């Protein structure tokens, strides 16, 4: 062994199995966010972590297993964040909380959101961003239905509006991820402005105007 390699080996901090696992997850998360699943390789993950390829296989069984762990973690984190935002307040405050919660997640878990926003179904069940947002929309639908009844609107339409609300916030969040302007609070304020002021004027039986609605 050369002198430089010996110094490098001595300079490395020996990690426990749990610490090594977390290190590999952190390294792989950054790489998957940069390049996507297909373009990332076990070789590069191992090189960035300064370990051999067998170490990656030992902990995760391969790239697919490592990717699945990362996606599952991000799914749980995002769901916890948004569900928490929907557990308090009412009406406009809930919309504000949900919008800010998603933007907070994008800001603090940028790599994770980039991974979820891609096709993140490799090796997972229900691991795509669409499936996560679908779960959130179900929760929003449960909150909207009583309000629809109170306003004498059809509660069966609540899931439709829930999907629109969640989709609007999520797509705006993806746009904001790349622009980061205006500031997060201003983006959330504009989202709530559209959602809230539109909801206040809901028609009991909305129809398309002109020739679009031929029924």
């Amino acid at each position: 062994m050369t002198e430089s390699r010996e110094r490098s080996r001595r300079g490395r901090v020996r990690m426990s199995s749990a610490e090594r696992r977390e290190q590999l997850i952190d390294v792989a998360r950054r790489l998957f966010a940069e390049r996507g699943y297909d373009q990332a390789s076990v070789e590069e993950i191992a090189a960035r972590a300064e370990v051999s390829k067998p170490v990656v296989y030992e902990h995760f069984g391969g790239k697919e297993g490592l990717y699945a762990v990362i996606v599952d973690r991000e799914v749980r984190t995002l769901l916890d964040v948004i569900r928490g935002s929907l557990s308090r307040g009412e009406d406009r405050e809930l919309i504000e909380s949900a919008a800010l919660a998603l933007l907070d997640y994008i800001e603090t878990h940028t790599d994770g959101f980039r991974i979820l926003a891609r096709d993140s179904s490799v090796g997972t069940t229900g691991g795509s961003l669409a499936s996560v947002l679908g779960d959130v929309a179900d929760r929003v639908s449960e909150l909207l239905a009583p309000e629809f009844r109170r306003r004498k609107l059809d509660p069966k339409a609540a899931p439709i509006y829930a999907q629109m609300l969640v989709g609007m916030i999520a797509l705006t969040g993806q746009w904001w991820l790349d622009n980061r302007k205006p500031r997060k609070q201003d983006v959330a304020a504009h989202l709530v402005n559209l959602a809230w002021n539109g909801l206040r004027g809901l028609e009991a039986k909305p129809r398309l105007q002109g020739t679009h609605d031929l029924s």
Side-chain angles (χ1 to χ4, degrees), residues 14 19 26 39 60 68 72 91 93 103 133 160 167 181:
R14 186 171 182 82
E19 289 171 336
D26 289 342
Q39 298 303 314
F60 302 99
D72 288 344
D91 295 345
E93 186 180 353
L103 294 175
L133 296 178
I160 301 172
K181 291 181 180 180

Side-chain angles (χ1 to χ4, degrees), residues 5-129:
R5 289 180 63 188
E6 176 65 20
R7 284 199 302 267
S8 177
R9 185 184 69 82
R10 289 177 179 174
R12 294 177 189 170
V13 177
R14 186 171 182 82
M15 295 183 182
S16 68
S17 178
E19 289 171 336
R20 179 64 72 189
R21 180 180 175 86
E22 291 303 313
Q23 183 217 19
L24 290 170
I25 289 172
D26 289 342
V27 168
R29 183 189 292 108
R30 289 193 295 271
L31 186 58
F32 287 135
E34 290 172 14
R35 301 191 178 182
Y37 177 82
D38 290 335
Q39 298 303 314
S41 67
V42 172
E43 288 84 355
E44 186 163 5
I45 293 169
R48 290 192 181 190
E50 297 185 336
V51 299
S52 62
K53 284 173 55 179
V55 173
V56 179
Y57 287 103
E58 176 186 347
H59 283 277
F60 302 99
K63 184 173 76 169
E64 184 173 311
L66 176 53
Y67 190 75
V69 169
I70 292 170
V71 169
D72 288 344
R73 280 193 178 190
E74 294 303 324
V75 166
R76 289 198 303 272
T77 300
L78 179 54
L79 282 177
D80 288 345
V81 165
I82 297 183
R83 283 171 177 166
S85 74
L86 297 174
S87 64
R88 56 192 178 276
E90 52 186 74
D91 295 345
R92 179 168 181 149
E93 186 180 353
L94 283 173
I95 300 173
E96 292 178 354
S97 295
L100 279 172
L102 180 57
L103 294 175
D104 282 340
Y105 171 80
I106 292 172
E107 185 175 53
T108 58
H109 295 79
T110 300
D111 287 344
F113 184 78
R114 288 190 186 279
I115 291 170
L116 290 182
R118 291 192 178 102
D119 180 11
S120 54
S121 59
V122 179
T124 66
T125 56
S128 67
L129 181 62

